[in-house]
Amino acid sequence: MTDAQLDRLSALIENNNADAFYSWKPWKRLRETVLKLDNYECQKCKAKGKYRHAVIIHHVKHLKDRPDLALSIWDGKERQLVSLCKACHEEEHPERVIQYQYKKKDEMFEERWD
């Protein structure tokens, strides 16, 4: 990652707009490279002996914590970017899963016979 890209990403993170990073062309190219590297298979499911199609590239070291690794497949000896299915990615980020709960209010109305 260049210094200019890192500065730009750091500014996005500071302004709570880190998701804009995922529209960058270098990210889109790298995302496809990682999917091909993993044969479009969820690596978490694969480790359990199951197969599921991967649709998301997960930053093992979170983007906000390590923006310098945002465009790095490897961090030294460990993978920094891995392919995951949607369900496994949601397990990795439970804080981002929006749970909608509907609570029906008990409303009392006067009986009317108009």
Side-chain angles (χ1 to χ4, degrees):
M1 174 174 270
T2 67
D3 288 340
Q5 289 173 323
L6 183 57
D7 290 344
R8 185 174 165 204
L9 179 55
S10 296
L12 289 173
I13 291 169
E14 188 176 310
N15 293 317
N16 293 319
N17 194 20
D19 287 343
F21 164 77
Y22 298 107
S23 66
W24 290 10
K25 286 183 182 180
W27 167 253
K28 289 180 178 182
R29 285 191 300 268
L30 184 60
R31 178 186 182 279
E32 188 62 29
T33 299
V34 174
L35 285 168
K36 286 178 183 176
L37 178 67
D38 293 334
N39 296 315
Y40 295 87
E41 297 173 339
C42 174
Q43 297 304 293
K44 196 170 177 181
C45 288
K46 189 174 183 178
K48 297 175 189 174
K50 299 179 180 179
Y51 171 81
R52 202 180 268 162
H53 188 73
V55 293
I56 298 171
I57 302 304
H58 173 63
H59 285 90
V60 175
K61 294 182 180 162
H62 295 263
L63 186 66
K64 292 179 183 180
D65 298 334
R66 293 294 307 270
D68 58 312
L69 296 174
L71 294 174
S72 300
I73 297 174
W74 295 90
D75 172 24
K77 297 179 182 178
E78 298 177 347
R79 284 282 298 269
Q80 161 58 17
L81 299 174
V82 293
S83 304
L84 296 178
C85 65
K86 188 174 186 325
C88 287
H89 191 253
E90 288 175 355
E91 285 178 14
E92 293 294 321
H93 293 284
E95 74 280 2
R96 294 188 71 172
V97 178
I98 299 171
Q99 305 255 341
Y100 294 99
Q101 295 180 350
Y102 176 77
K103 293 183 179 180
K104 187 176 180 180
K105 293 182 180 180
D106 293 326
E107 296 179 328
M108 300 276 294
F109 296 98
E110 285 185 33
E111 186 174 3
R112 294 181 61 181
W113 297 86
D114 295 351

